Structures are given as C-alpha cells and as structure tokens.
Amino acid sequence: MTATAAHQQTGAGSPVNLRASEGPRQPEPTPELNELYRSFEDELLVPLWTEIGDLMPPSPRPQAQAHTWRWANLLHLAERSGTLVPVGRGGERRAIALANPGLGGAPYATPTLWAAIQYLNPREDAPVHRHSQHAFRFVVEGQGVWTVVDGDPVAMRRGDFLLTPGWRFHGHHNQSGTPMAWLDGLDIPFSHYVGSGFSEHGPDAVEDHSTPALSRSERLWAHPGLRPVSQPGSSGSSPIAAYRWEHTDAALHDQLELEAEGHPGVVEAGHAAVRFTNPTTGGDVMPTIRAEMHRLRSGVTTAARREVGSSVWQVFEGAGAVEVGSRRWDVERGDLVAVPSWQPMTITAGTSLDLFRFADTPIFESLHAARVHVDGDHS
C-alpha cells in the first residue's frame, strides 16, 4: 500500500484527503507524518510522492473504457424520443449522447470527444445556434435534411461528412415526409475540461428552407486539387461544408484497385483509408478533430494499432469484428466503438467493411505528445 489522495469533497472539510500507509519508497507512517498530511489538506496541497503512480505512469492509463453502442438500439430510442421530446428551445437539439462507462456518467464517448445520435421528425426545424465547440455530422442512412451553416443550406445524404466549425450559426430542417437520424461529433468534453466553451442562440427556425443539391461552399471549394484564387491564405477549419460520399467511395475503391494491380496506395494489405482535409492547409478539417474513412476487403484483419489519444469508430457498411484491448465485439451497420488512449485495436472484416473514424489526434500533434505503435512496423 502507498499513501493516497482522494480528490473529492468529504463534507465540511478539505476536498483533499491524504492517508499515510506503508509501501515502497514511501515515508514511514508516524503521527508526525499524519499531522503533516492534515496541514497539506488544510492548504489544499497534494505531495507528489502520494500520486506519482497515477500522474506519471509508465504508459497511459485512461479512465475511459473500450465500449460499443448498437445503432439499432440507439435508433429505437431516438424514435421514441421523437414522439416525447420537442426539438425547440429547451430541447434545442434532439441529440442523445454516448456515455462512456468509465467516465462516471458524463455524456462523453471519450475524455475529449462527444458522439450522439440526433433525430429530426418530418417538417421539423432544429433552432439556430452557435458555439465555440467544433462539430460535424456523419450520415449512416437517410436523406431529406438540410443543415444551414451561416445561411448556406447543405444537403445531408447517406455517407456524407459535413462540417460545422466553431462559432458558425447553424440549424437543420427536414423537408421530407420521413424522420432522419445521424451521428453528431464534437470536441465538447475537451472544451468543457479546459473551460473554453461559449454559445449563443439564433432564430427559432432556419432562415433558408431551400434545398439545393450543392451548397455554396461546395460550389466554391469542393473541386479536386483546385482552390479559388479569390480566397487566399489559410483557415483554421476547412471551408468545405460537405464531403460527399461519391468522392469518398471512389477514392477507397481506387486504392484497392491500385493494390490489385500491384501498385502502392493502401495502408496495409486489403486496407484502404482516406483522411478528410482542409484544402487551405492540407491538415485536418478542424483543429481538434481528425476524420477518416476506412475500407477493408472481406477476410482482412488489420495489424494491432495503438496511439495516444482516443477515437470513435462507426460502421458505415458491412459486418465484422472489432477488438480493443481484451474486449471483442461483432459489429454491423451503424454500430459505434470507443477506443481509449493507447489501447491496441484490430479490425476483422467479415464482409467488405467500411468504417468512419474520428479522433482527437490534432490536439496531441499540436502538443508534440502524439505517439503511435503498429505491431510489425519496424520503420
């Protein structure tokens, strides 16, 4: 046993609670040491020698756990919410967040990433607001909803990856006769932890109910390899409002075709992957979130990979198995998996398998704290 500090309020006293006990490289428990610890508590001090095992472990020890959420269950509960919960002010968004079992009931998929299913009934408007947190939408199934970002209507269709960078006014409207659900991803937990969040209400309904096939953003920016000369310089987030599935699908298909022809292009045998990027920098689409799409040939198992930082994966199409640490799940369309920091992950494709991934990697790369290990990679 070693001395420990419990960082929780213990009634009227100090939130720091220190206990002396015997252990390697620990001071001998004596009445004088206990008196010293009480003085530390009074001054809200915690000595490093009681905490070093948790503060400086040999490798990351995340509180978050590997976990999976079943899309069929999420969709059923979202549908029930659609009959009971209004989408206007108060409800604001009919979004249901994934709560990682290791994070004490907080609505966080990982310590830095928020993931939620959002549900909009036919002919509904989700009211307009903006926030400093960065957000995206990923559509597993359905169509008929437009998200309006700073007045620009953006169609949402199956396979599309759509951006709402921080502090952009946005709302949604469903112009179809059927409900629609999609995945929301944000950096809310990170923003909350560092105390950087702001938000502001806009109108109760979106200002533009038009339904263009392409947003103005796409018409200006989403031409492969080309950027408008009228828009010089770089931006912190991508100016492209939507990355369309037809382009993502074609890129993954061509990578596997090149592999079949004996040319380089895949991440590993039978594993194609693309990263959504900011055309003004070549970097990630948003400062705190990396987003990718992966495709595995049927029967392929990826090499075990672990990295600093956390991620969330969603099956877009196909079926297979995901193993994270000692946990293993069979997964199918829509299922979501949280991968904590430095936990080894492998994916096995039962059929051809497409997966969407988002991660907090840009945060750790900016801090020069990123680290990746892939089994069998000796480069």
Coordinates of all heavy atoms in Angstrom, one line a residue, residues 9 16 19 80 122 131 191 256 311 368 378:
Q9 N -14.9 16.0 -2.4 CA -15.3 16.7 -1.2 C -15.7 15.7 -0.1 O -16.5 14.8 -0.4 CB -16.5 17.7 -1.5 CG -16.9 18.6 -0.4 CD -15.8 19.6 -0.1 OE1 -15.2 20.2 -1.0 NE2 -15.5 19.8 1.2
V16 N -9.2 17.6 -0.4 CA -8.0 16.7 -0.4 C -8.1 15.8 0.9 O -8.2 16.3 2.0 CB -6.7 17.5 -0.4 CG1 -5.5 16.6 -0.4 CG2 -6.7 18.4 -1.7
R19 N -3.9 9.9 3.1 CA -3.8 8.8 4.1 C -2.4 8.2 4.0 O -1.9 7.8 2.9 CB -4.8 7.7 3.8 CG -4.7 6.5 4.8 CD -5.9 5.6 4.5 NE -6.1 5.2 3.2 CZ -5.4 4.1 2.7 NH1 -4.6 3.4 3.4 NH2 -5.6 3.8 1.4
R80 N -38.4 6.9 -30.2 CA -39.2 7.1 -29.0 C -39.1 8.6 -28.5 O -40.1 9.2 -28.2 CB -38.9 6.2 -27.9 CG -39.3 4.7 -28.2 CD -38.9 3.8 -27.1 NE -39.4 4.2 -25.8 CZ -39.0 3.6 -24.6 NH1 -38.1 2.7 -24.6 NH2 -39.6 4.0 -23.5
P122 N -40.3 14.6 -39.5 CA -40.6 15.3 -40.8 C -41.1 16.7 -40.6 O -41.8 17.0 -39.6 CB -41.8 14.4 -41.3 CG -41.6 13.0 -40.7 CD -41.0 13.3 -39.3
H131 N -21.8 27.8 -31.3 CA -21.0 27.5 -30.1 C -19.5 27.4 -30.6 O -19.2 27.2 -31.7 CB -21.4 26.2 -29.5 CG -21.8 25.1 -30.4 ND1 -20.8 24.4 -31.2 CD2 -23.0 24.6 -30.7 CE1 -21.5 23.5 -31.9 NE2 -22.8 23.6 -31.7
S191 N -13.4 20.9 -24.6 CA -13.7 22.3 -24.4 C -14.2 22.5 -23.0 O -13.8 23.5 -22.3 CB -14.8 22.8 -25.4 OG -15.3 24.1 -25.1
L256 N -7.9 0.3 -53.5 CA -7.9 -1.2 -53.6 C -7.7 -1.7 -55.0 O -7.0 -2.7 -55.2 CB -9.2 -1.7 -53.0 CG -9.4 -1.5 -51.5 CD1 -10.8 -2.0 -51.1 CD2 -8.3 -2.2 -50.7
S311 N -10.4 7.7 -29.9 CA -11.1 7.8 -31.2 C -12.5 7.1 -31.0 O -12.7 6.3 -30.1 CB -10.3 7.1 -32.3 OG -10.1 5.7 -32.0
H368 N 2.8 18.1 -29.5 CA 4.0 17.2 -29.7 C 4.0 16.1 -28.7 O 5.0 15.6 -28.2 CB 5.3 18.0 -29.5 CG 5.4 19.1 -30.5 ND1 5.8 18.9 -31.8 CD2 5.2 20.5 -30.4 CE1 5.8 20.1 -32.5 NE2 5.5 21.0 -31.6
H378 N 8.4 -1.8 -38.2 CA 9.8 -1.6 -37.6 C 10.5 -0.4 -38.3 O 11.7 -0.2 -38.2 CB 10.6 -2.8 -37.8 CG 10.0 -4.0 -37.1 ND1 9.9 -4.2 -35.8 CD2 9.5 -5.2 -37.7 CE1 9.3 -5.3 -35.5 NE2 9.1 -6.0 -36.6

